[in-house]
Amino acid sequence: TPTQLQLTSCSVIDRVNAMNRCPILFLPTLLLLTGAGHAASSEEDASGASKPFVLIARLHALPGQSSKVIALSDAADKAVKASEPGMLLHTFDRDPNDALGFVWTEVYANSQALEFHLQNPDLIKYLEEVGPFLDVFTVELYGSVSDSAVNMLKATGTPTKHYKTELGYIRDFKQ
């Protein structure tokens, strides 16, 4: 089973957090082995997984590498805008207290949009390229997200924390 696999390569997050320099060429295979990309079940839809949610990715550049991180992030932002209609908001912001800290704020239309994002070749390329310039990369999810999307994200090796919605609402964004 996929959970029993012993991978000889490390994930981009392992590389970033341990400051190793190994490729993540196995990521697309890992995503397929973990069931990535399957449609959400009606149970997941009933749980709110078909609603918009927020993802926050926190990055920290190595000293002297922030300009490279910004340049690579700019290219990734443009590629995501062109290829992911389920990404409703995608911003890259600098930490006001740390010149090497950055935050991606992303709003997804639904869990399927996150699954699509995780399989996007442009994202995979970005993670491969930016990884050597980072010492931290973590993700926080806020809202109702399908188990399959959360598991797919965790399967990448990214430290992930999911804050499940207890209460609140989402306005209709249609204009």
Side-chain angles (χ1 to χ4, degrees):
T1 65
T3 57
Q4 297 171 334
L5 289 177
Q6 296 296 320
L7 299 174
T8 57
S9 299
C10 64
S11 74
V12 70
I13 302 312
D14 290 335
R15 181 179 72 216
V16 167
N17 289 337
M19 298 174 66
N20 292 326
R21 301 294 187 259
C22 65
I24 63 163
L25 300 176
F26 72 92
L27 179 60
T29 303
L30 180 61
L31 294 175
L32 290 172
L33 291 172
T34 58
H38 86 277
S41 68
S42 58
E43 181 178 309
E44 288 173 337
D45 287 340
S47 72
S50 62
K51 296 179 181 177
F53 64 89
V54 175
L55 180 149
I56 302 291
R58 299 181 191 280
L59 296 74
H60 192 267
L62 293 168
Q65 302 302 319
S66 62
S67 63
K68 290 178 184 171
V69 170
I70 292 169
L72 290 167
S73 298
D74 181 48
D77 181 59
K78 290 174 180 160
V80 166
K81 182 178 182 181
S83 63
E84 295 188 33
M87 180 74 72
L88 305 178
L89 177 133
H90 195 246
T91 63
F92 188 74
D93 306 297
R94 188 182 295 264
D95 184 326
N97 300 317
D98 182 352
L100 300 177
F102 300 94
V103 177
W104 279 111
T105 303
E106 303 171 355
V107 176
Y108 290 87
N110 52 41
S111 293
Q112 293 78 23
L114 174 59
E115 291 181 7
F116 182 86
H117 180 68
L118 293 170
Q119 297 176 87
N120 186 336
D122 294 319
L123 173 72
I124 295 167
K125 178 183 175 193
Y126 168 70
L127 293 174
E128 289 172 349
E129 292 177 348
V130 79
F133 305 114
L134 302 174
D135 58 9
V136 173
F137 186 86
T138 63
V139 170
E140 299 164 10
L141 293 168
Y142 296 89
S144 298
V145 185
S146 70
D147 289 340
S148 65
V150 173
N151 291 335
M152 186 176 174
L153 178 58
K154 288 181 177 180
T156 68
T158 306
T160 301
K161 189 169 188 177
H162 181 200
Y163 297 82
K164 295 181 181 181
T165 300
E166 289 293 321
L167 58 96
Y169 63 92
I170 299 171
R171 292 198 188 276
D172 185 1
F173 293 113
K174 295 177 186 172
Q175 297 180 8

